[in-house]
Amino acid sequence: MSETKSALTGTQKVAVVLMNLEGGIAASVMAQFSEAEATDITAEIVRLRRVDPDVAESTLAEFNDIVAHGRLAARGGTDFATGLLELSFGAERAAGVMSRVASNMAGKAFEFLDSAEPGQIGSLLDGEMAQTIALVVAHLRPVQASAVLAGLHDDQRTDVAQCIATMTSATPEAVAIVATSLKSRAAAVVAPQNSMEVVGGVQPLVDIINRADVATERALLEGLDARDPELAEEIRSRLLTFADIVKLEARDVQNVLRGFDMAVLSIAMKGSAEAVQQKIRENLSERNRELLADELESMGPSRRSQIEEARADVVRAIRELEQSGTITIHRSDEDAFVE
């Protein structure tokens, strides 16, 4: 990456200076920064890789305590950044900083998609391999990603879901290649927004499915059942269900049900286990219990699709409160007694 002096930010100038210092001295300087500052500086070192000698000399001239001699070839890149961090903070902390740098850089590579509609992203990815689509979808917010997945045909959706669940960390270089290619085609319809975290693995896919509509969830799981039954079962075990409301503390159930439409709740409860119904009733206000009783008494037959959609509304409310940290969900039997 080549930069002009006028285009350099303050952080980039610090990076250029460190890139031109002897390793031990650079490490001593780097150690004076906080880890957050070191992360930003390291990201610039990785991005810059090499800097024009004239830019390096003019940048160094700004620092009164450094005398530039001759033409300096600035060194950068991942290897240099890693070595500098190891000298500054030690191998363990260096690995942590580099991990955050890679995550931040990868997320920022796809930030231009934040303002895109799911349909636009789907069109942008049309014809791409499942691995490429998975890489992009895994960087989207779960709500946005689930809408993109819903727009894929069944076989392709299954391929992409499997790739998301089984992918490992991609290198910044690989992510940059994909992002650059897509950005060149999307420039006319997409504007840059805030960056997002890199995601990948089973749990991010679960987060996406939890925000998808019932039809998309069913189709995805059926496709994975045929392709990889073990993966499908693992995903099912992590997915939130309406019945999981019994796993919540009373205060958390009250938070979920606060302001909830009793007509929708009554449909969701239809045919549910007695434990689920009891958990809901005992955490409603007296007034809402009366309203719920009236709804249940007057309710006629309901289509299964109506019940599933109503339960999905409750699940989405649970998920949103968990995401915000308002409630906590116990997904395992860690506290079960062992005989």
Side-chain angles (χ1 to χ4, degrees), residues 210-226:
N210 268 326
R211 288 169 169 79
D213 57 72
V214 174
T216 299
E217 176 184 330
R218 184 187 298 113
L220 249 175
L221 291 173
E222 288 176 354
L224 285 174
D225 269 329

Side-chain angles (χ1 to χ4, degrees), residues 59-339:
T59 300
L60 287 171
E62 296 181 16
F63 294 83
N64 294 327
D65 60 335
I66 297 175
V67 178
H69 295 289
R71 288 192 174 275
L72 302 176
R75 304 157 295 158
T78 301
D79 291 341
F80 178 81
T82 301
L84 178 57
L85 285 171
E86 287 179 349
L87 287 171
S88 304
F89 301 114
E92 185 174 348
R93 289 176 66 189
V97 172
M98 286 303 296
S99 177
R100 290 194 296 275
V101 168
S103 178
N104 291 340
M105 290 178 68
K108 289 179 180 179
F110 289 96
E111 64 184 356
F112 67 95
L113 292 176
D114 194 26
S115 61
E117 295 294 328
Q120 293 174 326
I121 298 175
S123 298
L124 193 63
L125 296 173
D126 187 36
E128 296 288 351
M129 297 191 333
Q131 293 91 335
T132 301
I133 298 175
L135 179 65
V136 176
V137 171
H139 285 81
L140 304 177
R141 292 165 300 170
V143 172
Q144 192 182 30
S146 64
V148 174
L149 274 181
L152 303 176
H153 61 73
D154 291 348
D155 288 342
Q156 188 181 37
R157 187 187 302 123
T158 303
D159 289 340
V160 172
Q162 187 177 28
C163 287
I164 293 174
T166 58
M167 73 166 53
T168 56
S169 298
T171 65
E173 290 79 9
V175 172
I177 290 172
V178 174
T180 300
S181 173
L182 292 178
K183 193 170 185 179
S184 65
R185 287 146 46 193
V189 293
V190 180
Q193 294 283 330
N194 294 331
S195 62
M196 290 160 280
E197 281 188 5
V198 179
V199 291
V202 173
Q203 190 55 48
L205 178 59
V206 169
D207 293 342
I208 292 170
I209 296 175
N210 268 326
R211 288 169 169 79
D213 57 72
V214 174
T216 299
E217 176 184 330
R218 184 187 298 113
L220 249 175
L221 291 173
E222 288 176 354
L224 285 174
D225 269 329
R227 183 77 56 79
D228 190 336
E230 290 185 5
L231 176 59
E233 185 58 34
E234 182 179 358
I235 290 171
R236 279 194 178 91
S237 71
R238 298 195 194 187
L239 282 174
L240 284 173
T241 66
F242 178 65
D244 285 333
I245 200 167
V246 301
K247 300 178 181 179
L248 302 181
E249 301 292 338
R251 182 176 57 185
D252 291 342
V253 177
Q254 292 160 18
N255 279 326
V256 171
L257 299 179
R258 184 174 293 120
F260 213 89
D261 188 335
M262 291 300 105
V264 175
L265 187 59
S266 66
I267 296 173
M269 291 173 62
K270 193 175 182 67
S272 62
E274 180 59 34
V276 173
Q277 297 191 28
Q278 180 63 26
K279 187 79 170 185
I280 290 173
R281 287 192 180 96
E282 66 189 17
N283 285 290
L284 289 172
S285 66
E286 184 176 351
R287 173 58 179 160
N288 279 336
R289 275 199 299 271
E290 293 175 357
L291 290 174
L292 179 64
D294 290 342
E295 290 289 347
L296 290 170
E297 185 176 350
S298 62
M299 183 172 55
S302 300
R303 295 181 181 276
R304 182 172 295 277
S305 60
Q306 290 178 298
I307 296 173
E308 289 179 343
E309 286 295 344
R311 291 179 178 179
D313 286 343
V314 177
V315 169
R316 277 190 284 271
I318 295 173
R319 180 61 184 165
E320 287 171 3
L321 290 173
E322 183 196 25
Q323 192 75 16
S324 68
T326 304
I327 66 175
T328 301
I329 301 171
H330 303 288
R331 288 184 169 80
S332 65
D333 296 325
E334 291 174 355
D335 296 329
F337 289 102
V338 178
E339 296 183 358

